[in-house]
Amino acid sequence: MSVGVIIVSYRTGAVLAECLSALADVSGVSEIILVDNGNDAAETQALGAFVAAHAQARLLRGQGNVGFSRAGNLAAAQAKSDLLIFANPDVV
């Protein structure tokens, strides 16, 4: 069974970097879908850097702040994993 993690980020600040760092160390995750839901420059850079460094990660951006549910559904529609975990950006 494949496992994917979806994180919707909207102006989450420093906790986003902690979350991504912890997620990078998790084994058994086949895909990570990050949704930039209208972040400031620092979060946008952190998301881009994470995706560049992790082959299993993808980034959705450009839709603006469409709300958590819609952003999560956008990510889920593109997911390929059997099981999806929706994690808030403050989860470590």
Side-chain angles (χ1 to χ4, degrees):
M1 176 184 320
S2 58
V3 177
V5 176
I6 294 173
I7 297 175
V8 177
S9 174
Y10 176 71
R11 299 183 181 179
T12 53
V15 297
L16 177 62
E18 293 177 46
C19 175
L20 295 178
S21 178
L23 186 57
D25 293 335
V26 175
S27 63
V29 174
S30 57
E31 72 178 327
I32 300 166
I33 303 174
L34 305 170
V35 184
D36 183 341
N37 215 18
N39 286 299
D40 291 330
E43 289 97 348
T44 298
Q45 288 177 337
L47 291 169
F50 184 84
V51 169
H54 298 87
Q56 77 275 30
R58 288 184 284 149
L59 178 58
L60 304 179
R61 66 167 44 130
Q63 72 280 344
N65 183 8
V66 294
F68 179 83
S69 296
R70 185 165 176 213
N73 285 333
L74 288 170
Q78 294 192 23
K80 295 175 177 57
S81 297
D82 299 316
L83 175 67
L84 297 177
I85 299 170
F86 290 81
N88 285 333
D90 61 350
V91 172
V92 177

Coordinates of all heavy atoms in Angstrom, one line a residue:
M1 N 0.8 -1.2 0.0 CA 0.0 0.0 0.0 C 0.9 1.2 0.0 O 1.8 1.4 0.8 CB -0.9 0.0 1.2 CG -1.7 1.3 1.3 SD -2.8 1.5 2.8 CE -3.4 -0.1 3.1
S2 N 0.6 2.2 -0.9 CA 1.4 3.4 -0.9 C 0.7 4.5 -0.1 O -0.5 4.5 0.1 CB 1.5 3.9 -2.4 OG 0.2 4.1 -3.0
V3 N 1.5 5.3 0.5 CA 1.1 6.4 1.5 C 1.5 7.7 0.9 O 2.7 7.9 0.6 CB 1.6 6.1 2.9 CG1 1.2 7.3 3.8 CG2 1.2 4.8 3.4
G4 N 0.6 8.7 0.9 CA 0.9 10.0 0.5 C 0.5 11.0 1.6 O -0.4 10.7 2.4
V5 N 1.3 12.1 1.7 CA 1.0 13.1 2.7 C 0.7 14.4 1.9 O 1.4 14.8 1.0 CB 2.2 13.3 3.6 CG1 1.9 14.5 4.6 CG2 2.5 12.1 4.4
I6 N -0.4 15.0 2.3 CA -0.8 16.3 1.8 C -0.7 17.4 2.9 O -1.3 17.2 4.0 CB -2.3 16.3 1.2 CG1 -2.3 15.3 0.0 CG2 -2.8 17.6 0.8 CD1 -3.7 15.0 -0.5
I7 N 0.0 18.5 2.5 CA 0.1 19.6 3.5 C -0.4 20.9 2.7 O 0.2 21.2 1.7 CB 1.5 19.8 4.0 CG1 1.9 18.5 4.8 CG2 1.6 21.0 4.9 CD1 3.3 18.6 5.3
V8 N -1.4 21.5 3.3 CA -1.8 22.8 2.8 C -1.2 23.9 3.6 O -1.4 23.9 4.9 CB -3.4 22.9 2.8 CG1 -3.8 24.3 2.3 CG2 -4.0 21.8 2.0
S9 N -0.5 24.8 3.0 CA 0.2 25.9 3.7 C -0.3 27.2 3.4 O -0.3 27.6 2.2 CB 1.7 25.7 3.4 OG 2.4 26.8 4.0
Y10 N -0.7 28.0 4.4 CA -1.1 29.4 4.2 C -0.5 30.2 5.3 O -0.9 30.1 6.5 CB -2.6 29.5 4.2 CG -3.0 31.0 4.1 CD1 -2.9 31.7 2.9 CD2 -3.6 31.6 5.2 CE1 -3.3 33.0 2.8 CE2 -4.0 32.9 5.1 CZ -3.9 33.6 3.9 OH -4.3 34.9 3.9
R11 N 0.6 31.0 5.0 CA 1.2 31.9 6.0 C 1.5 31.2 7.3 O 1.1 31.7 8.4 CB 0.4 33.1 6.2 CG 0.3 33.9 4.8 CD -0.4 35.2 5.0 NE -0.5 35.8 3.7 CZ -1.1 37.0 3.5 NH1 -1.7 37.6 4.5 NH2 -1.1 37.5 2.2
T12 N 2.2 30.1 7.3 CA 2.4 29.3 8.5 C 3.6 29.6 9.3 O 3.8 29.1 10.4 CB 2.5 27.8 8.1 OG1 3.4 27.6 7.1 CG2 1.1 27.3 7.6
G13 N 4.5 30.4 8.7 CA 5.7 30.9 9.4 C 6.7 29.8 9.7 O 6.8 28.8 8.9
A14 N 7.4 29.9 10.8 CA 8.6 29.0 11.0 C 8.2 27.5 11.2 O 9.0 26.6 11.0 CB 9.3 29.5 12.3
V15 N 6.9 27.3 11.7 CA 6.5 25.9 11.9 C 6.6 25.1 10.6 O 6.8 23.9 10.7 CB 5.1 25.8 12.6 CG1 5.1 26.4 13.9 CG2 4.1 26.3 11.7
L16 N 6.4 25.7 9.5 CA 6.4 25.0 8.2 C 7.8 24.3 8.0 O 7.9 23.1 7.6 CB 6.1 25.9 7.0 CG 6.2 25.3 5.6 CD1 5.2 24.2 5.5 CD2 6.0 26.3 4.6
A17 N 8.9 25.0 8.3 CA 10.2 24.4 8.1 C 10.4 23.2 9.0 O 11.0 22.2 8.6 CB 11.3 25.5 8.3
E18 N 9.9 23.3 10.3 CA 10.0 22.2 11.2 C 9.2 21.0 10.7 O 9.7 19.9 10.8 CB 9.5 22.6 12.6 CG 10.3 23.7 13.3 CD 9.7 24.1 14.6 OE1 9.3 23.2 15.4 OE2 9.6 25.3 14.8
C19 N 8.1 21.3 10.2 CA 7.2 20.2 9.7 C 7.9 19.5 8.5 O 8.0 18.3 8.4 CB 5.9 20.7 9.2 SG 4.8 19.6 8.4
L20 N 8.4 20.3 7.5 CA 9.1 19.7 6.4 C 10.3 18.9 6.7 O 10.6 17.9 6.2 CB 9.4 20.8 5.3 CG 8.2 21.5 4.7 CD1 8.6 22.6 3.8 CD2 7.2 20.5 4.0
S21 N 11.1 19.4 7.7 CA 12.3 18.7 8.2 C 11.9 17.4 8.8 O 12.6 16.4 8.5 CB 13.0 19.6 9.2 OG 14.1 18.9 9.7
A22 N 10.9 17.3 9.6 CA 10.4 16.1 10.2 C 9.9 15.1 9.1 O 10.2 13.9 9.2 CB 9.4 16.4 11.2
L23 N 9.2 15.7 8.2 CA 8.6 14.8 7.1 C 9.7 14.2 6.3 O 9.5 13.1 5.8 CB 7.6 15.7 6.2 CG 6.8 15.0 5.2 CD1 6.0 13.9 5.8 CD2 6.0 16.0 4.4
A24 N 10.7 14.9 6.1 CA 11.8 14.4 5.2 C 12.4 13.1 5.9 O 13.0 12.3 5.1 CB 12.9 15.4 5.1
D25 N 12.3 12.9 7.2 CA 12.9 11.8 7.9 C 11.9 10.6 8.0 O 12.3 9.6 8.5 CB 13.3 12.2 9.3 CG 14.5 13.1 9.2 OD1 15.3 13.1 8.2 OD2 14.7 13.9 10.2
V26 N 10.7 10.7 7.5 CA 9.7 9.7 7.6 C 9.9 8.7 6.5 O 9.9 9.0 5.4 CB 8.2 10.3 7.6 CG1 7.2 9.2 7.6 CG2 8.0 11.2 8.7
S27 N 9.9 7.4 6.9 CA 10.1 6.3 5.9 C 8.7 5.8 5.5 O 7.7 5.9 6.3 CB 10.9 5.2 6.4 OG 10.3 4.6 7.5
G28 N 8.6 5.3 4.4 CA 7.3 4.7 3.9 C 6.4 5.6 3.2 O 5.2 5.2 2.9
V29 N 6.8 6.9 3.0 CA 5.9 7.8 2.4 C 6.3 7.9 0.9 O 7.4 8.2 0.6 CB 6.0 9.3 3.0 CG1 5.2 10.3 2.2 CG2 5.5 9.2 4.4
S30 N 5.4 7.5 0.0 CA 5.7 7.5 -1.4 C 5.5 8.8 -2.1 O 6.2 9.0 -3.2 CB 4.8 6.4 -2.1 OG 3.5 6.6 -1.9
E31 N 4.7 9.7 -1.6 CA 4.5 11.0 -2.2 C 4.1 12.0 -1.2 O 3.5 11.7 -0.2 CB 3.5 11.0 -3.4 CG 2.1 10.8 -3.0 CD 1.1 10.9 -4.2 OE1 1.4 11.5 -5.2 OE2 0.1 10.2 -4.1
I32 N 4.6 13.2 -1.5 CA 4.3 14.4 -0.6 C 3.8 15.4 -1.5 O 4.5 15.8 -2.5 CB 5.5 14.9 0.2 CG1 6.1 13.7 1.0 CG2 5.2 16.1 1.0 CD1 7.5 14.0 1.6
I33 N 2.6 15.9 -1.3 CA 2.0 17.0 -2.1 C 1.8 18.2 -1.2 O 1.1 18.1 -0.2 CB 0.6 16.6 -2.7 CG1 0.8 15.3 -3.5 CG2 0.1 17.7 -3.5 CD1 -0.5 14.7 -4.1
L34 N 2.5 19.2 -1.5 CA 2.4 20.5 -0.8 C 1.6 21.5 -1.6 O 1.8 21.6 -2.8 CB 3.9 21.0 -0.6 CG 4.8 20.1 0.1 CD1 6.2 20.6 0.0 CD2 4.4 19.8 1.5
V35 N 0.7 22.2 -0.9 CA -0.1 23.2 -1.6 C 0.2 24.5 -1.0 O 0.0 24.8 0.2 CB -1.6 22.9 -1.4 CG1 -2.5 23.9 -2.1 CG2 -2.0 21.4 -1.8
D36 N 0.7 25.4 -1.9 CA 1.0 26.8 -1.5 C -0.3 27.5 -1.7 O -0.7 27.8 -2.8 CB 2.1 27.3 -2.4 CG 2.5 28.8 -2.0 OD1 1.7 29.4 -1.3 OD2 3.6 29.2 -2.4
N37 N -0.9 27.8 -0.6 CA -2.3 28.4 -0.6 C -2.2 29.9 -0.5 O -3.1 30.5 0.1 CB -3.1 27.8 0.5 CG -4.6 27.6 0.1 OD1 -4.9 27.7 -1.0 ND2 -5.4 27.4 1.1
G38 N -1.1 30.6 -1.0 CA -1.0 32.0 -0.9 C 0.0 32.5 0.1 O -0.4 33.4 0.9
N39 N 1.1 31.8 0.2 CA 2.1 32.1 1.3 C 2.9 33.4 1.0 O 2.9 33.9 -0.1 CB 3.1 31.0 1.4 CG 2.5 29.8 2.1 OD1 2.0 29.9 3.2 ND2 2.4 28.7 1.4
D40 N 3.5 33.9 2.1 CA 4.5 34.9 1.9 C 5.8 34.3 1.3 O 5.9 33.1 1.2 CB 4.8 35.6 3.3 CG 3.6 36.3 3.8 OD1 2.9 36.9 3.0 OD2 3.5 36.4 5.1
A41 N 6.8 35.2 1.0 CA 8.0 34.8 0.3 C 8.8 33.7 1.0 O 9.3 32.8 0.4 CB 8.9 36.0 0.0
A42 N 8.9 33.8 2.3 CA 9.7 32.9 3.1 C 9.1 31.4 3.0 O 9.8 30.5 2.8 CB 9.8 33.3 4.6
E43 N 7.8 31.3 3.1 CA 7.2 30.0 3.0 C 7.2 29.5 1.6 O 7.5 28.3 1.4 CB 5.7 30.0 3.5 CG 5.5 30.2 5.0 CD 5.3 31.7 5.4 OE1 5.5 32.6 4.5 OE2 4.9 31.9 6.5
T44 N 7.1 30.4 0.6 CA 7.1 30.0 -0.8 C 8.5 29.4 -1.1 O 8.7 28.4 -1.7 CB 6.8 31.2 -1.7 OG1 5.5 31.6 -1.4 CG2 7.0 30.8 -3.1
Q45 N 9.6 30.1 -0.6 CA 10.9 29.6 -0.8 C 11.2 28.2 -0.1 O 11.8 27.3 -0.6 CB 11.9 30.6 -0.3 CG 12.0 31.8 -1.2 CD 13.0 32.9 -0.6 OE1 13.3 32.9 0.6 NE2 13.5 33.7 -1.5
A46 N 10.6 28.1 1.1 CA 10.8 26.8 1.9 C 10.1 25.7 1.1 O 10.7 24.6 1.0 CB 10.2 27.0 3.3
L47 N 9.0 25.9 0.6 CA 8.3 24.9 -0.1 C 9.0 24.5 -1.4 O 9.2 23.3 -1.7 CB 6.8 25.3 -0.5 CG 5.9 25.5 0.7 CD1 4.6 26.2 0.2 CD2 5.5 24.1 1.3
G48 N 9.5 25.5 -2.1 CA 10.2 25.2 -3.3 C 11.5 24.5 -3.1 O 11.9 23.6 -3.8
A49 N 12.2 24.8 -2.0 CA 13.5 24.2 -1.7 C 13.2 22.7 -1.3 O 14.0 21.8 -1.6 CB 14.2 24.9 -0.5
F50 N 12.2 22.5 -0.5 CA 11.9 21.1 -0.1 C 11.6 20.2 -1.3 O 12.1 19.1 -1.5 CB 10.7 21.1 0.8 CG 10.3 19.7 1.4 CD1 11.0 19.2 2.5 CD2 9.4 18.9 0.8 CE1 10.8 18.0 3.0 CE2 9.1 17.7 1.3 CZ 9.8 17.2 2.3
V51 N 10.8 20.7 -2.3 CA 10.4 20.0 -3.5 C 11.7 19.7 -4.3 O 11.8 18.6 -4.9 CB 9.3 20.7 -4.3 CG1 9.1 20.1 -5.6 CG2 8.0 20.7 -3.5
A52 N 12.5 20.7 -4.4 CA 13.8 20.5 -5.2 C 14.7 19.5 -4.6 O 15.4 18.8 -5.3 CB 14.5 21.9 -5.3
A53 N 14.6 19.3 -3.3 CA 15.5 18.3 -2.6 C 14.9 16.9 -2.4 O 15.6 16.0 -2.0 CB 15.9 18.9 -1.3
H54 N 13.6 16.8 -2.7 CA 12.9 15.5 -2.4 C 12.1 15.1 -3.6 O 11.1 15.7 -4.0 CB 12.0 15.6 -1.2 CG 12.8 16.0 0.1 ND1 13.1 17.3 0.4 CD2 13.4 15.2 1.0 CE1 13.8 17.2 1.5 NE2 14.0 16.0 1.9
A55 N 12.6 14.0 -4.3 CA 12.0 13.5 -5.5 C 10.5 13.1 -5.4 O 9.8 13.3 -6.3 CB 12.8 12.4 -6.0
Q56 N 10.1 12.7 -4.2 CA 8.7 12.3 -4.0 C 7.8 13.4 -3.7 O 6.6 13.2 -3.6 CB 8.6 11.2 -2.9 CG 8.7 11.8 -1.5 CD 10.1 12.0 -0.9 OE1 11.0 12.2 -1.6 NE2 10.2 11.8 0.4
A57 N 8.3 14.6 -3.7 CA 7.5 15.8 -3.3 C 7.1 16.6 -4.6 O 7.8 16.7 -5.6 CB 8.2 16.7 -2.4
R58 N 5.8 17.1 -4.6 CA 5.3 17.9 -5.6 C 4.7 19.2 -5.0 O 4.2 19.1 -3.8 CB 4.2 17.2 -6.4 CG 4.8 16.2 -7.3 CD 3.7 15.5 -8.2 NE 2.9 14.6 -7.3 CZ 1.7 14.3 -7.5 NH1 1.0 14.9 -8.4 NH2 1.0 13.5 -6.7
L59 N 4.7 20.2 -5.7 CA 4.1 21.5 -5.2 C 3.0 22.0 -6.1 O 3.2 22.1 -7.3 CB 5.3 22.5 -5.1 CG 4.9 23.9 -4.6 CD1 4.3 23.9 -3.2 CD2 6.2 24.8 -4.6
L60 N 1.9 22.3 -5.5 CA 0.8 23.0 -6.2 C 0.8 24.4 -5.8 O 0.7 24.7 -4.6 CB -0.5 22.3 -5.9 CG -0.6 20.8 -6.2 CD1 -2.0 20.3 -5.8 CD2 -0.3 20.5 -7.6
R61 N 0.8 25.3 -6.8 CA 0.7 26.7 -6.4 C 0.0 27.5 -7.6 O -0.1 26.9 -8.6 CB 2.0 27.3 -6.1 CG 3.0 27.4 -7.2 CD 4.2 28.3 -6.9 NE 4.8 28.1 -5.6 CZ 6.1 27.9 -5.3 NH1 7.0 27.9 -6.3 NH2 6.6 27.8 -4.1
G62 N -0.4 28.7 -7.3 CA -1.0 29.5 -8.3 C -2.5 29.7 -8.2 O -3.1 30.5 -8.9
Q63 N -3.1 28.9 -7.3 CA -4.5 29.0 -7.1 C -4.9 30.1 -6.1 O -6.1 30.4 -6.0 CB -5.1 27.7 -6.8 CG -4.8 27.2 -5.3 CD -3.5 26.6 -5.2 OE1 -2.8 26.2 -6.1 NE2 -3.0 26.5 -4.0
G64 N -3.9 30.7 -5.4 CA -4.2 31.6 -4.3 C -4.8 30.9 -3.1 O -4.8 29.7 -3.0
N65 N -5.4 31.7 -2.2 CA -5.9 31.2 -1.0 C -7.4 30.7 -1.2 O -8.3 31.5 -1.2 CB -5.9 32.2 0.2 CG -6.4 31.6 1.5 OD1 -6.7 30.4 1.6 ND2 -6.6 32.4 2.5
V66 N -7.5 29.5 -1.6 CA -8.8 28.9 -1.9 C -9.5 28.2 -0.7 O -10.5 27.6 -0.8 CB -8.8 28.0 -3.1 CG1 -8.4 28.7 -4.4 CG2 -7.8 26.8 -2.9
G67 N -8.8 28.3 0.5 CA -9.3 27.6 1.7 C -8.8 26.2 1.8 O -8.3 25.6 0.8
F68 N -8.8 25.7 3.0 CA -8.1 24.4 3.3 C -8.8 23.3 2.5 O -8.1 22.4 1.9 CB -8.1 24.1 4.8 CG -7.6 22.8 5.1 CD1 -6.2 22.6 5.3 CD2 -8.4 21.7 5.3 CE1 -5.6 21.4 5.5 CE2 -7.8 20.4 5.6 CZ -6.4 20.3 5.7
S69 N -10.1 23.2 2.6 CA -10.8 22.1 2.0 C -10.6 22.0 0.5 O -10.3 20.9 -0.1 CB -12.3 22.2 2.3 OG -12.6 22.1 3.6
R70 N -10.8 23.1 -0.2 CA -10.6 23.1 -1.7 C -9.1 22.8 -2.0 O -8.9 22.0 -3.0 CB -11.0 24.5 -2.3 CG -11.0 24.5 -3.8 CD -11.7 25.6 -4.4 NE -11.5 25.6 -5.8 CZ -11.5 26.6 -6.6 NH1 -11.6 27.8 -6.0 NH2 -11.3 26.5 -7.9
A71 N -8.2 23.4 -1.3 CA -6.8 23.1 -1.6 C -6.5 21.6 -1.3 O -5.7 21.0 -2.1 CB -5.9 24.0 -0.7
G72 N -7.0 21.1 -0.3 CA -6.8 19.6 0.0 C -7.4 18.8 -1.1 O -6.8 17.8 -1.5
N73 N -8.6 19.2 -1.6 CA -9.2 18.4 -2.7 C -8.4 18.5 -4.0 O -8.3 17.5 -4.7 CB -10.6 18.9 -2.9 CG -11.6 18.4 -1.8 OD1 -11.3 17.3 -1.2 ND2 -12.6 19.1 -1.6
L74 N -7.8 19.7 -4.2 CA -7.0 19.8 -5.4 C -5.8 18.9 -5.4 O -5.4 18.2 -6.4 CB -6.5 21.3 -5.6 CG -7.5 22.3 -6.0 CD1 -6.9 23.7 -5.8 CD2 -8.0 22.1 -7.4
A75 N -5.2 18.8 -4.2 CA -4.1 17.9 -4.0 C -4.5 16.4 -4.1 O -3.8 15.6 -4.8 CB -3.4 18.1 -2.7
A76 N -5.6 16.1 -3.5 CA -6.1 14.7 -3.5 C -6.4 14.2 -4.9 O -6.1 13.1 -5.3 CB -7.3 14.6 -2.6
A77 N -6.9 15.1 -5.7 CA -7.2 14.8 -7.1 C -6.0 14.4 -7.9 O -6.1 13.6 -8.9 CB -8.0 15.9 -7.8
Q78 N -4.8 14.9 -7.5 CA -3.6 14.6 -8.2 C -2.8 13.5 -7.6 O -1.8 13.1 -8.1 CB -2.7 15.9 -8.3 CG -3.4 16.9 -9.2 CD -2.5 18.1 -9.6 OE1 -1.2 17.9 -9.5 NE2 -3.0 19.2 -9.9
A79 N -3.2 13.1 -6.4 CA -2.4 12.0 -5.7 C -2.6 10.7 -6.4 O -3.6 10.4 -7.0 CB -3.0 11.9 -4.3
K80 N -1.5 9.9 -6.2 CA -1.5 8.5 -6.8 C -1.4 7.5 -5.7 O -1.5 6.3 -6.0 CB -0.3 8.4 -7.7 CG -0.3 9.3 -8.9 CD 0.9 9.3 -9.7 CE 0.9 10.1 -11.0 NZ 0.6 11.5 -10.8
S81 N -1.3 7.9 -4.5 CA -1.2 6.9 -3.4 C -2.5 6.3 -3.0 O -3.6 6.8 -3.2 CB -0.6 7.6 -2.1 OG 0.6 8.1 -2.4
D82 N -2.4 5.1 -2.4 CA -3.6 4.3 -1.9 C -4.2 5.0 -0.7 O -5.5 5.0 -0.5 CB -3.3 2.9 -1.6 CG -2.7 2.1 -2.8 OD1 -3.3 2.3 -3.9 OD2 -1.7 1.4 -2.6
L83 N -3.4 5.5 0.2 CA -3.8 6.1 1.4 C -3.3 7.6 1.5 O -2.1 7.8 1.2 CB -3.3 5.3 2.6 CG -3.5 5.9 4.0 CD1 -5.0 5.8 4.3 CD2 -2.7 5.1 5.0
L84 N -4.1 8.5 1.8 CA -3.7 9.9 1.9 C -3.8 10.4 3.4 O -4.8 10.1 4.0 CB -4.6 10.8 1.0 CG -4.5 10.5 -0.5 CD1 -5.4 11.5 -1.2 CD2 -3.1 10.7 -1.0
I85 N -2.8 11.0 3.8 CA -2.8 11.7 5.1 C -2.7 13.2 5.0 O -1.8 13.7 4.3 CB -1.5 11.2 5.9 CG1 -1.6 9.7 6.1 CG2 -1.4 12.0 7.3 CD1 -0.3 9.1 6.7
F86 N -3.7 13.8 5.5 CA -3.7 15.3 5.5 C -3.1 15.8 6.8 O -3.6 15.5 7.9 CB -5.2 15.8 5.4 CG -5.8 15.6 4.0 CD1 -6.3 14.3 3.7 CD2 -5.8 16.6 3.1 CE1 -6.9 14.1 2.5 CE2 -6.4 16.4 1.8 CZ -6.9 15.1 1.5
A87 N -2.0 16.5 6.7 CA -1.3 16.9 7.9 C -1.2 18.4 7.9 O -0.9 19.0 6.8 CB 0.2 16.3 7.9
N88 N -1.5 19.0 9.0 CA -1.3 20.5 9.1 C 0.1 20.8 9.1 O 1.0 20.1 9.6 CB -2.0 21.0 10.4 CG -3.5 21.0 10.3 OD1 -4.1 21.1 9.2 ND2 -4.2 20.9 11.4
P89 N 0.5 22.1 8.7 CA 1.9 22.4 8.6 C 2.6 22.6 10.0 O 3.8 22.8 10.1 CB 1.9 23.8 7.9 CG 0.5 24.0 7.5 CD -0.4 23.0 8.1
D90 N 1.9 22.5 11.1 CA 2.5 22.5 12.4 C 2.7 21.2 13.0 O 3.1 21.1 14.2 CB 1.7 23.5 13.3 CG 0.3 23.0 13.6 OD1 -0.2 22.0 12.9 OD2 -0.4 23.5 14.5
V91 N 2.5 20.1 12.3 CA 2.7 18.8 12.7 C 4.2 18.4 12.6 O 4.8 18.6 11.6 CB 1.9 17.7 11.9 CG1 2.2 16.3 12.3 CG2 0.4 18.0 12.1
V92 N 4.8 18.0 13.7 CA 6.2 17.6 13.7 C 6.3 16.1 14.2 O 5.7 15.7 15.1 CB 7.0 18.5 14.6 CG1 8.5 18.0 14.7 CG2 7.0 19.9 14.1

